Amino acid sequence: MTMTKRIITNLLRLIALGATVAAIVVMVTSHQSAEVLNLTFTAKFSNEPVFKYFVVTEAIACGYTLVVLILSSRSLLWRLIVILDAVMTAVLTSSISAALAIARVGKKGNSHAGWLPICGQVPKFCDHVTGALVCGFVATIVYALLLVFSLYSALGPVFGVKPSDGSLP
């Protein structure tokens, strides 16, 4: 892998690492209490299994990114890394999709099921969840870009694509 490709790959991984860490921190710190009809309830991420799934997948992606950054790019494991990048992209896509669906129900409710929106009562909680989901979405997009870049780097020689050295043909 040339130096430019290594720099781009490491930069994308660092951006993904920052986005996953931010998503974890913001989601874990999201909690707020509210009083409705003299009843106090607390909204926190751990009350919803989907948000727990979101935090766990972001943590797995964060740990994987750290391991890959520590490994040498000259390692023979680069094909495995391409496969694991695809797995991480799929897992992150799954978790962000599920969390966005639940967040939408929390924000808008569901009149057909009789579920009322809760963001009017706990706006700070909803703002934290929204921030975590934005960070998670950024991480998912960066991993998708990283996957495309890794596939291009790994499969380019198979299809006869020669890396450009900057000179014109």
Side-chain angles (χ1 to χ4, degrees), residues 5-169:
K5 288 182 183 178
R6 234 180 272 140
I7 290 171
I8 291 171
T9 302
N10 285 340
L11 182 64
L12 286 173
R13 289 195 192 283
L14 286 172
I15 293 169
L17 179 66
T20 55
V21 167
I24 292 167
V25 168
V26 173
M27 183 63 86
V28 169
T29 60
S30 63
H31 57 83
Q32 184 178 5
S33 295
E35 190 173 312
V36 178
L37 299 173
N38 290 331
L39 298 173
T40 302
F41 74 96
T42 302
K44 52 187 173 181
F45 90 98
S46 59
N47 292 345
E48 184 59 50
V50 171
F51 292 155
K52 289 181 191 176
Y53 172 62
F54 176 78
V55 169
V56 168
T57 57
E58 294 290 322
I60 290 170
C62 183
Y64 166 73
T65 303
L66 280 173
V67 169
V68 171
L69 282 170
I70 292 169
L71 285 176
S72 171
S73 59
R74 295 184 184 132
S75 172
L76 295 176
L77 298 174
W78 62 273
R79 288 185 180 152
L80 178 63
I81 290 172
V82 171
I83 293 168
L84 290 176
D85 281 349
V87 170
M88 283 300 125
T89 303
V91 168
L92 287 173
T93 301
S94 163
S95 75
I96 193 71
S97 298
L100 280 170
I102 292 301
R104 186 196 178 283
V105 170
K107 179 106 173 139
K108 303 284 186 183
N110 186 334
S111 60
H112 301 291
W115 298 337
L116 299 174
I118 65 160
C119 286
Q121 287 77 33
V122 285
K124 180 182 163 192
F125 171 76
C126 289
D127 291 344
H128 268 77
V129 169
T130 301
L133 294 178
V134 167
C135 292
F137 196 69
V138 167
T140 304
I141 289 172
V142 170
Y143 256 101
L145 291 172
L146 190 58
L147 177 62
V148 169
F149 188 75
S150 296
L151 284 172
Y152 175 76
S153 297
L155 297 177
V158 172
F159 296 111
V161 176
K162 293 182 180 178
S164 69
D165 57 0
S167 61
L168 294 174

